């Protein structure tokens, strides 16, 4: 405990209202009016004095995921899903295998449990390290983690490789974090039924634009869910998250249209912008990018001064890069205008810092 440090997101404590927020992989689209209306109606009719109930939410998630209800456990964000899985699968001294740098909560939670993280570095081009990971998995591990696609690198893992790993390690739980699933369409969820050691984590924070309401879920075989539910408290997911999710799941076309715009139009436009100006960029598979400007700290500071937040990377493998999620077309137009004006001062992306 004493050796651990709290996880403090960048720009914590700043008034974020009015800024273009590209630093936390939040959705920047406004909340769907239908969801806002459902929340207001719920509060008007029922208030918030009652503890939440989950059967309706689980039934709707069963429809969305095409999995049986007893394979689904709602959680307080997928951060809690990660925490629950790690607490279930890692005792002090246990080992967790993951490609590094991994989504930060995995390493943080494993550290608090006194577990050891066996981190296989991503390749120099941030490609998934298949051969090294396969070799590292030949040693018995207590938990294997895939973040697909990974945050912060954006790297996707082939489903075939995940299946190979699951099959080669039948006695080891394999957790696949699919927080960005809606942006890639790639999932191993349909395989839950076939493999008792496969656990999938999802969230409403990204494509469903609900990070502030904290809703995630675990998908696994019922016998696994029966164990994990012992760790989640009975009312960890709040009732407003349930109401919002039910509305979202009744109109997934709206979410899909927004994802299609982000991935089909906004992302290619922003990539083209960076390439045109010779700024190195790693597109990744999701709704965010890594960028390596010539002078990263100064670029991040100047963007901040212009009202735009991006996330400076601190991991050695990502030195000199910042991460930015894609905003609305209007926000991205502002971003490109501001960045273009900075180019004569800051230059393109040649130097590493
Ligand atoms: C890969 C990944 N997993 C999980 C999460 C946690 O999301 P939440 O706790 O909001 O569901 C994030 C958030 O950035 C993420 O990038």
């Amino acid at each position: 405990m004493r050796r651990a440090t709290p996880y403090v997101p960048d720009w914590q404590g700043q008034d974020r209202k009015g800024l273009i927020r590209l630093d936390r992989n939040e959705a920047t689209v406004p909340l769907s009016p239908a969801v806002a209306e459902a929340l207001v109606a719920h509060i008007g009719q029922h208030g918030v004095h009652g503890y939440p109930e989950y059967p309706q939410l689980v039934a709707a998630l069963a429809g969305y995921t095409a999995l049986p209800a007893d394979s689904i456990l709602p959680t307080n964000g997928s951060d809690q899903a990660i925490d629950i899985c790690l607490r279930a699968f890692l005792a002090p001294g246990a080992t967790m295998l993951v490609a590094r740098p991994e989504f930060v909560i995995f390493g943080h939670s494993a550290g608090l449990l006194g577990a050891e993280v066996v981190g296989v570095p991503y390749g120099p081009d941030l490609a998934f390290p298949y051969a090294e990971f396969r070799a590292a998995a030949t040693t018995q591990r207590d938990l294997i983690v895939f973040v697909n696609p990974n945050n912060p690198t954006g790297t996707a893992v082939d489903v075939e490789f995940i299946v190979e790993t699951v099959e080669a390690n039948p006695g080891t739980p394999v957790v696949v974090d699919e927080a960005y699933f809606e942006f890639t369409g790639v999932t191993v969820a349909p395989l839950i039924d076939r493999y008792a050691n496969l656990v999938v984590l999802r969230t409403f924070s990204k494509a469903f634009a609900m990070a502030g309401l904290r809703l995630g879920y675990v998908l696994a075989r019922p016998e696994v869910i029966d164990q994990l539910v012992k760790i989640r408290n009975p009312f960890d997911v709040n009732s407003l998250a349930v109401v919002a999710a039910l509305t979202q799941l009744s109109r997934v076309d709206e979410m899909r249209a927004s994802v299609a715009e982000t991935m089909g139009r906004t992302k290619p436009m922003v990539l083209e912008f960076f390439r045109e100006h010779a700024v190195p960029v790693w597109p990744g598979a999701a709704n965010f990018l890594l960028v390596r400007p010539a002078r990263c700290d100064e670029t991040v500071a100047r963007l901040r001064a212009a009202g735009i937040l991006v996330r400076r990377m601190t991991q050695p493998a990502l030195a000199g890069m910042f991460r930015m999620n894609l905003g609305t077309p209007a926000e991205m137009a502002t971003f490109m205008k501001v960045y273009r004006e900075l180019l004569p001062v800051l230059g393109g992306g040649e130097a590493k810092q």
Side-chain angles (χ1 to χ4, degrees), residues 237-290:
V237 174
N238 73 80
S239 52
L240 298 183
V242 172
V243 171
L246 286 174
T247 313
Q248 294 278 28
L249 292 173
S250 71
R251 44 195 311 125
V252 284
D253 285 355
E254 212 171 277
M255 174 277 287
R256 290 197 178 118
S258 150
V259 165
E261 175 168 82
T262 302
M263 299 304 280
R265 290 193 28 218
T266 313
K267 188 170 179 177
M269 177 179 76
V270 177
L271 286 174
E272 174 59 28
F273 168 82
F274 282 121
R275 286 174 180 152
E276 190 187 314
H277 295 289
V279 181
V281 58
W282 283 258
N287 61 331
F288 57 89
L289 318 169
L290 284 171

Side-chain angles (χ1 to χ4, degrees), residues 77-79 82 103 147 149 151 177 179-180 203 205-206 214-215:
S78 55
D79 280 348
I82 295 171
F103 176 56
V147 188
N151 171 18
D177 180 335
Y180 299 93
T203 181
S205 293
K206 308 300 176 184
R214 314 304 301 130
L215 179 62

